[in-house]
Amino acid sequence: MSAELAVVYAALILEDDNIEITADKLQTLVSAAGVEVEPIWFSLYAKALAGQDLKALLLNVGAPGSGAAASTGASAGAAAADAPAEEEKEEEKEESDDDMGFGLFD
């Protein structure tokens, strides 16, 4: 098991038990598991996870941000109106590639 993975599992165990994630507690859990980890990892993970809601982070891994959803709904009408103009621009780019004087199989 890698050092980083052992520390992450220890952090998940602490979060699951609603215990504050500190470097000492991470080190205690990893040592009890018999995994050798450099001491720097405990303090790095403790500082990175301080004040974070780990459960919310895990539950929202694949969820889109709220800002993207709001902007998508607001700009849906504008995007429909701009679609033909974008298609014309894409066609012009494709035609300009043919003028380079060489092809894929030349």
Side-chain angles (χ1 to χ4, degrees):
M1 177 183 294
S2 71
E4 295 89 358
L5 190 59
V7 177
V8 169
Y9 284 153
L12 290 173
I13 290 169
L14 292 172
E15 181 67 28
D16 191 47
D17 289 339
N18 294 323
I19 299 173
E20 183 183 3
I21 299 172
T22 64
D24 293 333
K25 292 176 184 175
L26 290 172
Q27 187 172 12
T28 303
L29 280 173
V30 171
S31 297
V35 180
E36 293 183 22
V37 177
E38 294 180 31
I40 188 71
W41 290 111
F42 302 119
S43 60
L44 286 175
Y45 275 89
K47 287 179 183 178
L49 296 174
Q52 298 291 327
D53 185 9
L54 199 54
K55 290 178 184 176
L57 289 173
L58 290 172
L59 292 175
N60 293 324
V61 169
S66 61
S71 65
T72 304
S75 65
D82 294 337
E86 289 178 13
E87 289 178 11
E88 290 175 13
K89 289 179 185 178
E90 288 178 16
E91 290 176 13
E92 290 175 11
K93 288 180 184 178
E94 290 176 11
E95 291 173 6
S96 66
D97 290 342
D98 294 335
D99 297 336
M100 294 179 73
F102 62 90
L104 182 62
F105 297 107
D106 289 343

